[in-house]
Every structure is written in structure tokens, then in C-alpha cells.
Amino acid sequence: RGELERNLVELKQSVADLTERIEKFQKTEENMLEHVQNRYSVMCRQFFGKGPYYVKFSVLLPGTDESKDTQESFFVVEVSSRKMFPHSVFTFLTLVESGFYDGMHFRYAQTSQLLEVGTNEMDASVIDQKLKSLGLLDGSALSFYESSADFPCGANYFGFVVRGPGLRFHLSPEARQSCLGEVVRGTEILRLMFKSLAGKKRLPVQIVSASVLLVENEAAGNDEL
């Protein structure tokens, strides 16, 4: 019995040592992640200002039964604070600034009221080359996923598809996910896009251009928009 008790004591000590090592590793990992995020926040301010950040999407709407002519329109998104999602915000703005989304299409209209900017119309090697030119490897835009319970997806919110670079726009709330920003002008354009994509012809909507609108405060941002 004495030997059994000694073995139990040793086992408990081993578990305690292992738990301590795991906690130290997790703390180190958290510190490293925080350091990386702080760096992205600094770069975001250096390259794009302190915010808030707005991006204008110009899109080409397909013709309707009444009018066969295509129509160019636009909507504007406000991106979340760089302090909340520094890696995601900097990466998204960098993709936009590089012209990555220009010429791409909204192609998916799901029954759950989702619009997605897909990359299936582009060759995978072309996508990889575009990402690599920006220092983004393995076919994804994000090195890690950022989320916050304080910023769930509401109606007209958007975020990356997994780790990007594809985008997903929510026409209805989705509280289980975090989003990157919100459509603040042109929500009616999203509905027209969904109607086009969800119709019998499933006509894709092309992104003519996406551009960062640089403003220094909310009042200026509203004037710009």
C-alpha cells in the first residue's frame, strides 16, 4: 500500500508539473500573439491612418427584365477598429489597396441570406501569386483568425470566409460569428445583388473596383461618404 501511495503522489506531482508547463506555454503563446497584433496595429496606423476606415465597392449590376443594360453602383463598408482586429483590418485594407478584389465577382447567394465574393473564377496559381506578392502565403490572407464576442455579425455585416481572402456579407444577423465591419451606405444594393444571384439566371455581380476612403474622424467620414 505504501508503494501505491508513493506512486500516486509522484503521479499527482507529474500532472502538476505538466499543467504548469502547459500554462507557461499558453501564456507565452498569448504574449507572442499580443505582440504580433500590436505590430499590425502600428502598421495599420502608419499606412492607413488612425481610422475609422471605410472601403467603397463599385459593382456592376446585371440587367433586369425591364432593362437589359448593366448598371454601375456602389456601397460603402466601415471596417472595425484596428485595436479590435489589428491583423484582420490591416490585411483587408492591404488587399483592397493592392487591387486584389478588382474584377472579382459576388457568386454565391445562399438561403441563409449570405453573399460571398468567391475566387473560383480565378486560377489558383494566380490567386497564390497575388497573395505571395503581398507576403501572404499558403493561399490564405490571414495567418490566424481573430474574433470577439463584442463584435458579432449583424445584418449587413461582413467578414472573411475562414482566413480569406474571400469575403462573406450577411444580410441577416449571425451571432455565432465575428465580423470585420458593416455596410454603412448602399444596403439596398446588397438586396439587389442578392436578387440577381438568387434568381433563376443566377447572374454574378462584378466588383469594378474596391478602394480605401481615408478619413481622420467620423464626421469627415460621413461627409466623404
Side-chain angles (χ1 to χ4, degrees), residues 48-77:
F48 300 105
K50 64 181 181 180
Y53 309 111
Y54 298 91
V55 171
K56 177 180 178 180
F57 285 88
S58 296
V59 296
L60 196 61
L61 300 174
T64 63
D65 292 337
E66 292 77 19
S67 174
K68 302 299 182 181
D69 297 332
T70 57
Q71 176 185 355
E72 186 169 340
S73 190
F74 74 92
F75 62 91
V76 177
V77 301

Side-chain angles (χ1 to χ4, degrees), residues 6 10 18 26 30 36 42 46 55 63 67 74-75 94 97 103 112-113 128 131 135 167 189 197 202 212:
R6 285 194 300 272
E10 292 176 359
L18 180 59
Q26 290 176 335
E30 290 172 1
V36 171
V42 170
Q46 287 176 340
V55 171
S67 174
F74 74 92
F75 62 91
T94 299
E97 189 73 6
S112 54
Q113 298 286 290
D128 288 342
L131 293 175
L167 301 175
I189 301 301
L197 288 161
R202 296 187 178 275
V212 179

Side-chain angles (χ1 to χ4, degrees), residues 11-26:
L11 181 59
K12 288 181 180 179
Q13 185 59 48
S14 297
V15 171
D17 292 344
L18 180 59
T19 301
E20 183 179 0
R21 291 173 63 184
I22 291 175
E23 290 175 350
K24 287 182 179 179
F25 176 79
Q26 290 176 335

Side-chain angles (χ1 to χ4, degrees), residues 92-117:
F92 172 64
L93 294 178
T94 299
L95 288 170
V96 170
E97 189 73 6
S98 73
F100 181 85
Y101 296 109
D102 297 356
M104 295 180 66
H105 294 76
F106 285 88
R107 286 191 174 270
Y108 308 109
Q110 301 181 10
T111 55
S112 54
Q113 298 286 290
L114 288 176
L115 290 171
E116 290 189 354
V117 179

